[in-house]
């Protein structure tokens, strides 16, 4: 091969690498949705695959309402125990073979949790119709403070950086609300984003690249649906029906997480390295 041809070949490879990186940044990673002890993995282009989410401890929960990724790239899942407390697990394996390893037990059960940088926040019932957002130690998962108590039935919780808000789903009004983060010290102001355009039961939310995605039990037909939230109007656009829903908890997250190497092979690690 002469030098001009080699140069053109190298240029083409560079362009392909940039194109691949751009697609990786735009396309969301594979999804994980839970409904009770059932789980579904799927992507923007692949149909959902259903399986039982197994935990490697004897007192495994029957419901997993919360999924998110910590700042180290670990995919974490929270399960509710029969005692009313909960357990945090790390998700292990790959999208075709996933299981849970217990990390820590908690006195409270959390509906959802999310991260703002290295800070961790979870949602639990305070009393009656009131829910509380609390800050958790991201290493021990102990509660270290209260962000605020809200007259909302919070199903999903996701931090949206460009809004500097927690976006939450209220199961009582079927609406989305924004809660100002304001440094995460005290209770932020609450604003109505808008009605979802559907009735729902349990649900979960997660943020990626400007979009809040989620799954929910659709009240009209008891289907477990996946979609995205219009952050201007609150409308929830259903993009896929995952299957018949079971009454109980619903969680939602990414597998693997954006930029994570925790569940990836060599190709994923190289892609993650390119994005840094």
């Amino acid at each position: 091969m002469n030098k001009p041809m080699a140069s053109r070949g190298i240029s083409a490879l560079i362009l392909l690498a940039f194109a691949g990186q751009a697609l990786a940044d735009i396309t969301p990673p594979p999804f994980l949705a839970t409904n009770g002890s059932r789980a579904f993995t799927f992507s923007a282009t692949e149909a959902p695959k259903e399986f039982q989410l197994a935990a490697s401890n004897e007192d495994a929960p029957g419901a997993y309402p919360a999924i998110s990724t910590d700042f180290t790239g670990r995919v974490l899942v929270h399960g509710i125990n029969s005692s009313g407390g909960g357990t945090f697990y790390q998700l292990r394996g790959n999208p075709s073979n996933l299981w849970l390893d217990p990390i820590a037990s908690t006195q409270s059960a959390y509906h959802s949790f999310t991260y703002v940088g290295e800070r961790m926040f979870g949602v639990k019932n305070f009393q009656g119709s009131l829910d509380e957002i609390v800050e958790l130690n991201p290493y021990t998962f102990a509660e270290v403070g209260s962000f605020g108590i809200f007259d909302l039935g919070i199903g999903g919780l996701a931090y949206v950086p460009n809004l500097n808000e927690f976006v939450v789903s209220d199961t009582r009004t079927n609406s989305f609300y924004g809660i100002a983060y304001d440094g995460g010290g005290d209770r932020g102001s609450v604003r109505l984003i808008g009605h979802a355009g559907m009735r729902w039961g349990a649900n979960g939310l997660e943020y990626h690249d400007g979009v809040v995605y989620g799954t929910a039990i659709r009240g009209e037909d008891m289907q477990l649906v996946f979609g995205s939230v219009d952050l201007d109007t609150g409308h929830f656009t259903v993009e896929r029906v995952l299957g018949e829903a079971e009454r109980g908890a619903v969680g939602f997250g990414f597998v693997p997480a954006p930029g994570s190497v925790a569940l990836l092979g060599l190709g994923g690690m190289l892609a993650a390295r390119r994005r840094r």
Side-chain angles (χ1 to χ4, degrees):
M1 181 182 291
N2 60 36
K3 290 185 178 179
M5 290 180 64
S7 177
R8 286 198 298 270
I10 292 170
S11 298
L13 286 172
I14 292 171
L15 288 172
L16 284 171
F18 277 111
Q21 182 176 350
L23 287 173
D25 291 340
I26 294 170
T27 303
F31 305 110
L32 173 68
T34 58
N35 178 206
S37 62
R38 298 185 305 159
F40 300 83
T41 55
F42 58 102
S43 70
T45 57
E46 295 179 348
K49 299 176 182 178
E50 181 179 345
F51 62 98
Q52 288 291 315
L53 199 54
S56 59
N57 60 332
E58 293 181 0
D59 186 25
Y64 302 93
I67 307 166
S68 194
T69 304
D70 72 6
F71 50 88
T72 69
R74 296 186 304 174
V75 179
L76 302 181
V77 178
H78 184 72
I80 299 176
N81 300 328
S82 57
S83 62
T87 302
F88 276 99
Y89 297 86
Q90 181 173 353
L91 194 67
R92 300 285 192 179
N94 57 66
S96 63
N97 181 26
L98 296 169
W99 70 93
L100 299 172
D101 278 343
I103 299 175
S105 297
T106 58
Q107 291 185 339
S108 298
Y110 300 102
H111 310 162
S112 184
F113 65 97
T114 193
Y115 288 84
V116 184
E118 297 187 8
R119 300 180 70 180
M120 182 181 186
F121 295 87
V123 180
K124 68 176 185 177
N125 180 251
F126 178 72
Q127 63 180 23
S129 63
L130 301 176
D131 277 358
E132 182 179 17
I133 298 177
V134 296
E135 185 171 1
L136 304 174
N137 182 305
Y139 303 99
T140 67
F141 306 102
E143 292 184 14
V144 295
S146 175
F147 176 74
I149 298 169
F150 303 88
D151 190 14
L152 297 168
I154 299 174
L157 170 77
Y159 176 70
V160 179
N162 60 304
L163 298 176
N164 196 26
E165 290 180 332
F166 294 118
V167 170
V168 302
S169 52
D170 178 28
T171 57
R172 294 199 295 271
T173 64
N174 301 310
S175 298
F176 290 99
Y177 290 83
I179 301 175
Y181 177 65
D182 290 339
D186 298 307
R187 185 186 192 279
S189 59
V190 181
R191 69 179 182 94
L192 173 66
I193 298 174
H195 192 275
M198 58 178 272
R199 293 188 298 110
W200 64 44
N203 59 82
L205 300 175
E206 191 73 296
Y207 170 86
H208 172 62
D209 198 23
V211 181
V212 173
Y213 298 94
T215 52
I217 298 176
R218 187 164 58 189
E220 286 80 359
D221 57 6
M222 286 299 294
Q223 298 290 312
L224 184 66
V225 298
F226 159 77
S228 57
V229 182
D230 187 319
L231 294 176
D232 292 322
T233 68
H235 187 269
F236 186 80
T237 299
V238 174
E239 300 177 16
R240 178 170 291 176
V241 175
L242 302 182
E244 293 282 342
E246 297 178 355
R247 295 189 181 277
V250 171
F252 178 74
F254 299 113
V255 182
S260 169
V261 300
L263 297 173
L264 291 172
L266 177 60
M269 287 192 285
L270 291 174
R273 187 175 299 169
R274 285 199 301 269
R275 287 195 291 271
R276 287 199 290 266

